[in-house]
């Protein structure tokens, strides 16, 4: 894997970075039941890039996350999503995951009775099998996971608890980032991973993302707060409204949005 | 089995009394309050003896290397050659019931069938017909050095009665494994009876793994005195029809009982769980957790009754029944029941039946697990509450593996 190199990140506002196209979304329309939510969304993420998506409540940000992950509750009526040129929409959710797509959900599920340790090891080993690597046994896995937990300052005791069961909001989000660190995806989308976090947790989660950032990987962070973007500096900021990207810019756009709100953009789009 | 000619008169008499009780109700009990979904007649079917080869392979597969002693019963009769036993240490006796009739007659006279509820027809039928079983005696203040395993190989129709006689402040751990021919029709009946005097602690686990022709009746009957503790766990898999009964009476202050039961049914199987737990003394605690995983066209039934006597004040009784339907055609019937006469009690009961959580399934797939593996993990999660307290070892691994077969 190539090392991250700061010069590969082009200065603010530039639209071209030159890496391979990792993810390409073209004219995507998606509905839940009879309601159309995504209404012709376009987005291109190249290797090495980090994109931030902002936008008002109900704009369709989480819907985009779910559609990317392969949630069966949404119907794609038009458009396409390609991962490294291949049709992502034809892949089952588990195949997308093994192929390197990771989505951290806005509301992580709790599964009482399922040990976090067992879950994480099973998931990692599925990915290792897919890559033709040998599976990790309990001991080797525990060593690895403890290392990664340190990175996000996660209480080691949480490894033997049930998955997210009774976890605090911050612990759940740290656990999502931990999963990402273990699975080392090519493309990760984090849906409001920063919401509800205290300052320390915010920094830890951002740190988790930054450790993985490289010229090979792409990130999409969905957030409502410019604060997160101080820690995870994006190459691009997009505004999603009413199911479409209505405006894109460099990281300074986030500051502008913080100041002016969305109205000046959303009024124009409707 | 001792023939009527060789068995002592007291035993002959006791069998006759039991037989008279059976005659009172008869065996076609379907529709009776305690038998809403099954009938004893469904368990008493035409059976076939299993082949010698299969006996050996079942013993090899199911006898637990970490058990202190393993007593094997085939078709209801003790098989010393297949068993693994040691000489009895001081204060402890482990033998088969057929020998105990001679060697521990006073214990048998005092306790055999004494805790049976007269209304429970299948207990009476077992008392009438038993041919052998485990006799375990632990003297006051003594503790077993490890757990004893009773391994029953069901062949034809078999009738076992285990009697556990414990002294004050004694401790014992008993594991029962009931298996049957993988394909032949069998009908096995086993009652484990115990009396726990002051401070005695018994940990009991029963694993039932029937083949495609297995019919099974299993019961635990326990009478508990002050400060005694019973933990009784059941794991039931396979077979055609199974009926599991728990008859527990808390009859001394500060006695406590933990009853866990997990049954998994597939195909056209039917499993009945029937629990009768009585708080007869004040300050006792009971906790029941029963779960069923029903797949295919199977049916799982739960009927759990907690009785709290008038003077059983400060009773704490919890009961929960949770079921998971794994297919559209599976069905579950749940009847939790509380009958409380005392006024100062903390009793709770809950019953819930659901399906695998779609959100959880989707989440697991999003982390790379296949549909099948995700389902397995959720089934394990559902059963986790029952698996977690088990000591690591062969038995836990076996139960875990049986849960994974979905
Ligand atoms: N399964 C569904 N069925 C019906 N409507 C849905 C469904 N999923 C989303 N919606 C609707 O689609 C719209 C977009 O929802 P979405 O959750 O994607 O918004 P969001 O941009 O993530 O908002 P927030 O910032 O509040 O998280 C909302 O109006 C929502 O109610
Ligand atoms: Mg959202």
């Amino acid at each position: 894997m190539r090392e991250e190199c700061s010069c590969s990140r082009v200065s603010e506002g530039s639209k071209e970075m030159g890496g391979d196209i990792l993810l390409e979304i073209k004219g995507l329309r998606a509905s839940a039941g009879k309601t159309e939510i995504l209404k012709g969304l376009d987005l291109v993420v190249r290797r090495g890039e980090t994109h931030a998506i902002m936008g008002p409540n109900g704009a369709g940000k989480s819907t985009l996350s779910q559609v990317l992950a392969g949630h069966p509750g949404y119907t794609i009526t038009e458009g396409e999503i390609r991962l490294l040129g291949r049709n992502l929409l034809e892949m089952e959710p588990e195949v997308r995951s093994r192929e390197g797509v990771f989505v951290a959900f806005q509301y992580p599920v709790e599964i009482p009775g399922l040990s976090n340790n067992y879950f994480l090891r099973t998931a990692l080993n599925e990915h290792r099998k897919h890559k033709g690597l040998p599976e990790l046994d309990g001991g080797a896995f525990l060593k690895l996971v403890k290392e990664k937990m340190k990175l996000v300052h996660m209480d080691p005791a949480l490894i033997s608890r049930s998955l997210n069961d009774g976890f605090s909001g911050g612990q759940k989000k740290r656990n999502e980032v931990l999963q990402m660190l273990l699975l080392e995806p090519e493309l990760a989308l984090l849906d409001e991973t920063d919401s509800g976090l205290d300052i320390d947790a915010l920094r830890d989660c951002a740190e988790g993302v930054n450790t993985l950032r490289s010229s090979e990987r792409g990130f999409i962070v969905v957030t409502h707060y410019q604060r997160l973007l101080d820690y995870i500096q994006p190459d691009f900021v997009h505004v999603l409204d009413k199911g479409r990207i209505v405006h894109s810019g460099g990281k300074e756009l986030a500051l502008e949005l913080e100041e002016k709100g969305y109205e000046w953009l959303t009024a124009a789009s409707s | 089995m001792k023939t009527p000619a060789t068995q002592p008169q007291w035993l002959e008499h006791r069998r006759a009394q039991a037989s008279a009780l059976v005659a009172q109700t008869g065996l076609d009990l379907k529709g009776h309050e305690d038998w809403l979904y099954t009938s004893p007649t469904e368990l008493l079917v035409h059976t076939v003896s299993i082949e010698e080869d299969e006996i050996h392979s079942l013993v090899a597969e199911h006898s637990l290397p970490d058990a202190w002693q393993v007593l094997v019963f085939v078709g209801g009769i003790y098989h010393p050659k297949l068993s693994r036993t040691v000489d009895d240490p001081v204060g402890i006796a482990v033998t088969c019931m057929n020998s105990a009739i001679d060697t521990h007659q006073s214990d048998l006279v005092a306790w055999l069938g004494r805790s049976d509820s007269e209304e429970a027809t299948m207990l009476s039928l077992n008392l009438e017909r038993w041919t052998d079983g485990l006799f375990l005696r632990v003297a006051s203040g003594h503790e077993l050095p490890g757990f004893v395993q009773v391994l029953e190989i069901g062949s034809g129709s078999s009738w076992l009665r285990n009697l556990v006689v414990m002294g004050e402040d004694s401790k014992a751990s008993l594991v029962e494994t009931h298996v049957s021919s993988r394909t032949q029709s069998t009908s096995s009946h086993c009652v484990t009876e115990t009396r726990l005097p002051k401070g005695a602690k018994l940990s009991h686990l029963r694993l039932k793994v029937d083949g495609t022709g297995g019919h099974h009746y299993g019961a635990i009957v326990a009478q508990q005195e002050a400060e005694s503790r019973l933990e009784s766990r059941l794991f039931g898999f396979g077979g055609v029809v199974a009926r599991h009964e728990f008859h527990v009476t808390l009859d001394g202050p500060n006695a406590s009982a933990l009853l866990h039961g997990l049954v998994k049914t597939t195909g056209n199987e039917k499993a009945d769980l029937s629990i009768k737990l009585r708080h007869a003394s004040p300050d006792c605690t009971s906790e029941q957790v029963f779960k069923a995983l029903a797949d295919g066209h199977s049916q799982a039934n739960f009927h759990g009754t907690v009785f709290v006597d008038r003077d059983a004040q400060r009773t704490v009784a919890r009961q929960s029944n949770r079921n998971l339907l794994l297919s559209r055609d599976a069905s579950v019937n749940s009847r939790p029941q509380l009958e409380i006469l005392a006024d100062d009690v903390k009793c709770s009961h809950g019953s819930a039946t659901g399906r695998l959580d779609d959100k959880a399934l989707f989440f697991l797939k999003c982390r790379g697990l296949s549909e099948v593996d995700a389902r397995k993990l959720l089934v394990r999660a559902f059963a986790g509450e029952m698996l977690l307290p088990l000591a690591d070892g062969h038995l836990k691994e076996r139960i875990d593996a049986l849960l994974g077969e979905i």
Side-chain angles (χ1 to χ4, degrees):
Chain A
M1 187 182 301
R2 271 185 288 155
E3 279 297 290
E4 176 184 356
C5 114
S6 56
C7 60
S8 78
R9 198 160 291 142
V10 174
S11 62
E12 299 160 13
S14 164
K15 302 273 167 182
E16 285 297 320
M17 296 196 32
D20 293 343
I21 292 179
L22 203 48
L23 180 78
E24 185 172 24
I25 304 179
K26 271 207 276 198
L28 185 69
R29 287 178 176 269
S31 19
K34 288 197 184 104
T35 324
E36 183 167 71
I37 303 167
L38 300 182
K39 302 171 179 170
L41 188 141
D42 300 295
L43 183 69
V44 173
V45 179
R46 292 168 191 274
R47 288 193 189 275
E49 294 176 352
T50 296
H51 294 241
I53 296 184
M54 306 181 80
N57 294 131
K61 303 181 295 297
S62 292
T63 301
L64 174 64
S65 318
Q66 300 283 358
V67 165
L68 202 66
H71 194 287
Y74 297 90
T75 320
I76 313 302
T77 51
E78 250 185 78
E80 56 179 21
I81 306 183
R82 301 203 161 264
L83 178 74
L84 290 167
R86 283 175 305 151
N87 185 353
L88 187 81
L89 295 173
E90 275 177 359
M91 301 179 198
E92 290 296 320
E94 62 271 29
V95 177
R96 299 180 191 198
S97 167
R98 294 173 201 159
E99 290 288 334
V101 176
F102 181 93
V103 177
F105 296 102
Q106 187 172 356
Y107 305 105
V109 298
E110 300 182 7
I111 309 185
L114 174 59
S115 115
N116 203 16
N117 184 29
Y118 190 81
F119 156 66
L120 292 169
R121 178 151 72 95
T122 310
L124 176 61
N125 279 335
E126 283 304 326
H127 282 247
R128 290 181 64 92
K129 269 192 277 183
H130 187 70
K131 289 178 187 147
L133 295 169
E135 295 184 36
L136 289 188
D137 64 22
F141 175 74
L142 205 60
K143 203 167 154 257
L144 177 72
V145 78
K146 291 233 158 110
E147 253 168 51
K148 307 274 182 196
M149 285 174 97
K150 257 192 218 139
L151 278 175
V152 283
H153 293 112
M154 198 169 149
D155 177 2
L158 295 178
I159 189 69
S160 38
R161 294 248 304 262
S162 288
L163 175 65
N164 290 340
D165 186 21
F167 282 26
S168 74
Q171 287 169 333
K172 282 182 189 169
K173 297 298 177 77
R174 281 186 160 96
N175 207 22
E176 291 287 296
V177 175
L178 175 67
Q179 290 158 37
M180 183 184 73
L181 289 174
L182 282 168
L183 301 181
E184 301 182 326
E186 305 257 357
L187 175 84
L189 186 155
L190 295 96
D191 189 1
E192 291 199 32
T193 300
D194 57 327
S195 289
L197 294 186
D198 65 31
I199 305 287
D200 287 342
L202 179 75
R203 202 181 307 121
D204 289 340
C205 286
E207 199 46 50
V209 173
N210 288 332
T211 348
L212 275 193
R213 276 177 85 167
S214 76
S215 53
E216 296 289 303
R217 296 199 172 95
F219 287 87
I220 303 171
V221 291
V222 172
T223 183
H224 283 295
Y225 307 105
Q226 120 78 20
R227 193 181 56 171
L228 175 74
L229 305 179
D230 287 340
Y231 295 104
I232 304 173
Q233 302 240 332
D235 303 297
F236 303 93
V237 174
H238 309 277
V239 177
L240 203 162
D241 183 49
K242 299 189 184 73
R244 294 171 56 233
I245 304 268
V246 294
H247 194 79
S248 300
K251 73 167 185 263
E252 73 290 343
L253 177 58
L255 287 166
E256 202 177 343
L257 291 168
E258 183 111 315
E259 206 174 296
K260 301 206 253 174
Y262 294 115
E263 223 164 273
W264 60 287
L265 291 167
T266 56
S269 80
S270 54
Chain B
M1 177 182 179
K2 304 233 167 184
T3 59
T6 57
Q7 76 179 350
Q9 233 182 349
W10 67 266
L11 181 55
E12 199 179 324
H13 180 62
R14 209 161 285 181
R15 288 191 198 272
Q17 280 178 324
S19 173
L21 285 171
V22 175
Q24 274 177 24
T25 61
L27 290 170
D28 190 4
L29 290 172
K30 191 145 183 177
H32 180 280
E33 219 235 317
D34 291 336
W35 292 89
L36 284 187
Y37 306 99
T38 329
S39 165
T41 48
E42 293 174 47
L43 297 161
L44 304 165
V45 293
H46 176 74
T47 59
V48 180
S49 294
I50 74 172
E51 305 284 331
E52 200 65 23
D53 285 355
E54 195 174 14
I55 295 175
H56 287 278
S57 89
L58 285 169
V59 170
E61 189 182 341
H62 291 277
S63 81
L64 296 168
D66 43 359
W68 174 49
Q69 302 197 40
V70 182
L71 280 81
V72 177
F73 296 84
V74 180
I77 298 294
Y78 179 52
H79 243 268
K81 288 220 178 75
L82 297 172
S83 302
R84 179 164 62 75
T85 55
V86 300
D87 289 342
D88 288 337
V90 179
I92 291 167
V94 181
T95 182
C96 69
M97 285 290 276
N98 249 326
S99 306
I101 292 174
D102 300 322
T103 58
H104 292 81
Q105 176 157 328
S106 60
D107 281 325
L108 266 66
V109 170
W111 302 117
L112 180 68
R114 290 297 192 214
S115 306
D116 286 15
S117 149
E118 295 199 345
E119 285 113 60
T121 303
M122 289 302 278
L123 289 180
S124 300
L125 191 68
N126 181 279
L127 190 58
E128 178 195 336
R129 296 193 183 175
W130 67 272
T131 53
D132 212 340
L134 164 79
F135 175 82
L136 171 64
R137 185 183 210 292
V138 191
S140 295
H142 284 74
E143 181 177 349
L144 294 190
F147 68 90
V148 171
Q149 183 190 17
V150 166
L151 173 52
E152 183 195 14
I153 310 294
S155 173
S157 296
S158 52
W159 301 82
L160 288 183
R161 177 151 299 234
N162 303 320
L163 181 63
V164 179
V165 179
M166 301 193 57
E168 289 190 0
D169 298 312
S170 65
K171 258 177 105 171
S173 176
L174 169 65
V175 170
E176 296 177 30
T177 308
H178 298 270
V179 294
S180 61
S181 163
R182 293 176 183 97
T183 51
Q184 307 279 33
S185 175
T186 57
S187 169
S188 50
H189 303 254
C190 178
V191 172
T192 297
E193 185 180 1
T194 187
R195 188 193 69 109
L196 305 182
K198 186 167 176 294
K201 290 188 171 59
L202 174 66
S203 149
H204 169 254
L205 186 150
R206 176 176 283 168
L207 169 64
K208 186 215 73 145
V209 192
D210 265 329
T212 53
H215 303 73
H216 174 93
Y217 170 82
I220 174 149
V221 183
Q223 190 83 26
Q224 294 187 238
E225 292 173 17
E227 290 155 43
S228 66
R229 165 84 174 164
L230 170 72
E231 293 186 3
S232 182
R233 301 184 158 88
L234 163 78
F235 294 90
F237 300 90
V240 183
V241 185
R243 164 88 170 187
H244 307 280
E245 293 182 3
F246 291 71
H247 300 266
V248 177
T249 307
L250 297 163
D251 202 6
N254 296 306
S256 71
L258 172 100
L259 309 180
H260 274 186
L262 176 72
V263 294
K264 197 174 107 180
T265 54
T266 55
N268 289 308
E269 292 169 34
K270 186 152 76 169
D272 256 25
L273 287 162
S274 166
I275 294 90
K276 302 227 162 172
L277 185 138
R278 167 169 241 116
H279 281 257
S281 276
D283 299 304
C284 293
T285 307
S286 66
E287 180 169 349
Q288 302 179 35
V289 184
F290 287 90
K291 293 187 177 181
L293 284 156
D295 206 346
H297 287 76
S298 69
Q299 186 190 68
N301 307 308
F302 169 84
H303 183 195
T305 314
V306 178
F307 305 93
V308 181
D309 287 2
R310 195 171 304 280
D311 52 0
Q313 300 296 359
R314 297 171 303 282
T315 285
V316 178
R318 276 191 299 270
Q319 181 192 63
S320 115
N321 173 229
R322 285 183 55 209
N323 306 297
L324 200 54
L325 292 168
L326 296 171
S327 78
R328 204 189 285 247
D329 298 317
S331 65
V332 158
N333 297 292
S334 177
R335 289 173 71 209
Q337 203 171 320
L338 292 177
E339 293 184 16
I340 303 173
L341 297 177
D343 43 33
D344 180 12
V345 299
K346 278 193 199 127
C347 293
S348 66
H349 67 161
S351 159
T353 298
R355 296 179 187 278
L356 285 181
D357 180 5
D358 284 338
K359 273 195 200 130
L361 262 179
F362 175 63
F363 171 75
L364 293 175
K365 287 198 251 177
C366 286
R367 292 296 176 261
L369 277 72
S370 65
E371 168 92 21
V372 172
D373 287 340
R375 284 172 70 91
K376 274 190 197 172
L377 242 62
L378 292 180
V379 165
R380 274 178 58 130
F382 177 76
E385 190 179 350
M386 264 94 165
L387 274 182
L388 236 53
L390 304 188
D392 287 334
H394 292 87
L395 186 63
K396 187 177 190 166
E397 281 167 27
R398 154 108 357 180
I399 295 170
D400 207 356
L402 285 161
L403 279 169
E405 290 169 13
I406 56 168

